Amino acid sequence: MLNIILFLPFIAAIIIAIFCHQKNGIAKIACLSICILTFCFILSIGLSLKDIISTVSISRPWIQSLGVTYQLALDGFSLIMILVSSFIAMMSVMVAWKSIERWDSFGPLLLMSLSGLLGVFLARDLLLFYVFWEIMLIPLYFMLTQWGSQKSAYAATRFLIYTVSASLFMLIGILCLYIQVGRETGVYSFAFNHLLITPIINNSLWIFLALLVGFAVKVPLFPLHLWAPETYKNAHPAVTILLSGAMANAGVYGILRICTYVSPLSLATLSHTMMGLSAIGAIYTGLIAYQQNNLRSVAAYSSISHMNLAVMAIFAMQLQAINGSILQLVAHALSITGIFALVAMLSVRGFDGDLNKMGGLFKPMPKLGAMLLFFFVASAGLPGLGNFASEILILVGSYQSSPLWASLAALSIVISIAYFLRCYERAMLGPYAAPSSNNENQQQAKLSDLSWREMMPLSLLVVAVLWLGISPDTFLQPLHHAVNHIIDHHFHALRGG
């Protein structure tokens, strides 16, 4: 079951790359079909399992001499993550449908990255987890270099430097943890249920920090976020959707799934420091977003701000906060995907996101304007929509651990309302600004409202955001056991049990 989920996109990527060379029409249809099939298969699993505790489907020896196992498992946390990831990948393909030409290259890279991402959420062996982590990231570099603005190559280089550095920190942390636990127990194994459950006595803080840095860069957590704004801005919007809507979730997942277990004492020691850093980061990037004159940059800094809130909630180590953190991953993925999808649609119409060259676009494009407003207010936390439920849980839970940092973090939500409204006013209201074109017919074509093909992915996102806001328990129920296990392990370890 899990092997099908994991390797379907990977095998399809190889087949498309070999047999669909220079057959872009077939390649993109095949790519979308595989994404839809993967999503539907994961959804069917979720609907068929009422009470997900932990189902280890596969556990086989891989490299026995090193204690490496091929072990995959599914719990509620993993289910929510792979469901969201496959849905975002499907949205990315729909958004790129007309603007990407070389689908015989783009499609396989996207599917390979999706396969790696699914592996990250399903792996239960730390070395296997690292392998999938690299499979997830490597295709993204090539997607960044080949598709995007003229500055995308520079952004890709910056992304590569930060990614390689973070991966090195992660690998060092994994190997040190493996050696340390092996010395203390006499058993050398990379299995989660051995490495992460066994309390380590020596060097726990340094191992914890190495792993934390490795994951924090991907979130991206302030002040390790410097690669993200330019990358999000200059990448093709379909690639940015993958980066901000799906890949960033892997960073938070790593902190929750691995760091919280490695050294509960280190987490408790750094709790207030990391909550403060996250709260300051959320406010700082929100203020930077307010100053931006490009729609892409506003969305980029907004994404960073919201992800910092998710990390703050983890270090609060409180039930409501962690539930809110995971719910934030889902809500943020949906809303930021909607925003960058509209960025892509505006780009097709001759607008590169420069707010100084936009204005009054609601009149010729009311459907696009309405959709942009919806995703702006959703991301800002309008009651009844997904982000509101997650942010309420984050703030209420975090307040119980640190009233100061939770109160400051709440300011980032107020700031988000300000920069989204300012951005919307400049882009959609005010004096009308037409895209540059010498031909009046071309101008009319560029200013055409959303087509049915463009409305399809946006409508799916709207339904998902409304569903998450109206019935968050649908997503919280599968998380019950996983979240309780994280908290119980943390406090049990602190008590010396």
Side-chain angles (χ1 to χ4, degrees):
M1 179 177 67
L2 297 185
N3 271 332
I4 296 173
I5 295 172
L6 187 56
F7 290 109
L8 178 62
F10 192 86
I11 294 171
I14 296 173
I15 293 173
I16 293 171
I18 295 173
F19 296 103
C20 295
H21 182 59
Q22 295 184 344
K23 298 177 182 177
N24 291 310
I26 298 174
K28 69 179 177 180
I29 291 172
C31 183
L32 179 60
S33 300
I34 294 299
C35 288
I36 293 174
L37 191 60
T38 303
F39 172 74
C40 290
F41 189 63
I42 295 170
L43 183 61
S44 67
I45 293 172
L47 294 175
S48 64
L49 298 176
K50 294 181 180 179
D51 295 316
I52 300 177
I53 297 177
S54 182
T55 308
V56 179
S57 297
I58 302 168
S59 181
R60 297 172 185 167
W62 183 19
I63 309 174
Q64 288 181 298
S65 59
L66 296 176
V68 183
T69 56
Y70 177 76
Q71 186 169 324
L72 305 177
L74 182 72
D75 63 4
F77 190 11
S78 296
L79 175 65
I80 295 296
M81 289 295 97
I82 62 175
L83 186 65
V84 171
S85 300
S86 58
F87 182 75
I88 297 304
M90 186 171 64
M91 294 298 103
S92 178
V93 174
M94 291 183 179
V95 168
W97 195 257
K98 287 291 186 181
S99 54
I100 295 292
E101 295 180 356
R102 290 177 292 138
W103 275 96
D104 56 340
S105 300
F106 184 84
L109 288 171
L110 185 147
L111 290 175
M112 202 165 290
S113 188
L114 173 61
S115 184
L117 182 62
L118 297 176
V120 164
F121 295 133
L122 294 174
R124 292 299 182 271
D125 179 278
L126 212 48
L127 194 61
L128 183 66
F129 174 91
Y130 182 79
V131 170
F132 282 128
W133 184 274
E134 295 305 309
I135 293 174
M136 171 188 77
L137 294 175
I138 291 171
L140 279 171
Y141 170 74
F142 294 105
M143 294 169 79
L144 287 168
T145 57
Q146 297 300 313
W147 293 276
S149 70
Q150 295 179 347
K151 295 181 179 179
S152 61
Y154 166 76
T157 302
R158 201 169 188 178
F159 169 81
L160 181 65
I161 293 170
Y162 273 83
T163 296
V164 170
S165 302
S167 295
L168 182 60
F169 273 99
M170 189 192 304
L171 183 59
I172 291 171
I174 290 172
L175 293 177
C176 289
L177 179 63
Y178 169 77
I179 294 169
Q180 193 69 47
V181 172
R183 285 176 177 174
E184 294 178 7
T185 63
V187 178
Y188 288 86
S189 172
F190 283 97
F192 274 27
N193 56 12
H194 175 67
L195 281 185
L196 303 185
I197 302 302
T198 305
I200 52 177
I201 301 170
N202 300 316
N203 303 314
S204 61
L205 178 60
W206 297 110
I207 293 172
F208 179 88
L209 286 173
L211 292 169
L212 179 61
V213 169
F215 295 128
V217 168
K218 196 71 206 73
V219 172
L221 178 67
F222 173 84
L224 303 174
H225 70 288
L226 298 178
W227 65 271
E230 285 299 312
T231 304
Y232 288 6
K233 177 183 176 182
N234 293 300
H236 188 283
V239 180
T240 304
I241 285 171
L242 286 175
L243 280 168
S244 60
M247 306 301 174
N249 288 355
V252 177
Y253 175 88
I255 297 173
L256 258 175
R257 180 71 80 184
I258 297 173
C259 289
T260 56
Y261 284 94
V262 166
S263 178
L265 181 60
S266 299
L267 189 145
T269 302
L270 297 173
S271 174
H272 286 279
T273 302
M274 293 305 301
M275 286 184 71
L277 195 65
S278 301
I280 292 169
I283 295 172
Y284 171 76
T285 50
L287 292 173
I288 297 295
Y290 184 83
Q291 297 175 339
Q292 298 306 303
N293 291 313
N294 191 291
L295 176 57
R296 295 177 185 230
S297 296
V298 172
Y301 281 104
S302 168
S303 174
I304 299 167
S305 179
H306 284 87
M307 292 303 287
N308 272 261
L309 287 178
V311 174
M312 182 190 73
I314 295 173
F315 284 89
M317 197 45 64
Q318 198 273 343
L319 180 63
Q320 289 173 311
I322 293 181
N323 275 328
S325 177
I326 300 173
L327 203 63
Q328 176 83 328
L329 301 186
V330 181
H332 168 263
L334 297 173
S335 58
I336 202 65
T337 296
I339 292 172
F340 276 112
L342 288 162
V343 166
M345 294 166 192
L346 282 167
S347 181
V348 170
R349 288 161 173 79
F351 297 98
D352 63 358
D354 188 348
L355 295 173
N356 294 320
K357 297 179 181 178
M358 299 170 70
L361 298 182
F362 186 88
K363 185 175 182 180
M365 296 182 284
K367 286 189 286 188
L368 190 150
M371 283 292 183
L372 185 61
L373 180 61
F374 176 84
F375 289 112
F376 273 0
V377 297
S379 192
L382 184 72
L385 302 180
N387 288 68
F388 175 76
S390 62
E391 287 166 358
I392 284 294
L393 286 171
I394 287 172
L395 294 177
V396 170
S398 298
Y399 188 87
Q400 296 180 44
S401 295
S402 176
L404 172 62
W405 296 126
S407 301
L408 284 176
L411 292 177
S412 69
I413 300 173
V414 178
I415 295 170
S416 72
I417 297 171
Y419 61 67
F420 277 133
L421 290 179
R422 176 177 178 270
C423 182
Y424 189 82
E425 186 273 332
R426 294 182 66 185
M428 292 292 144
L429 308 178
Y432 169 70
S436 57
S437 176
N438 296 324
N439 188 304
E440 186 175 342
N441 291 329
Q442 288 181 357
Q443 281 192 10
Q444 292 299 324
K446 286 183 176 181
L447 288 173
S448 59
D449 209 352
L450 297 176
S451 65
W452 69 268
R453 181 188 59 79
E454 293 171 319
M455 284 294 294
M456 188 185 304
L458 294 174
S459 299
L460 291 173
L461 287 165
V462 167
V463 170
V465 170
L466 287 170
W467 182 19
L468 180 61
I470 294 171
S471 182
D473 278 348
T474 307
F475 296 85
L476 291 173
Q477 194 65 35
L479 299 173
H480 178 74
H481 180 268
V483 172
N484 277 320
H485 191 272
I486 291 171
I487 293 174
D488 290 345
H489 173 80
H490 176 79
F491 288 106
H492 183 69
L494 290 182
R495 287 194 298 266

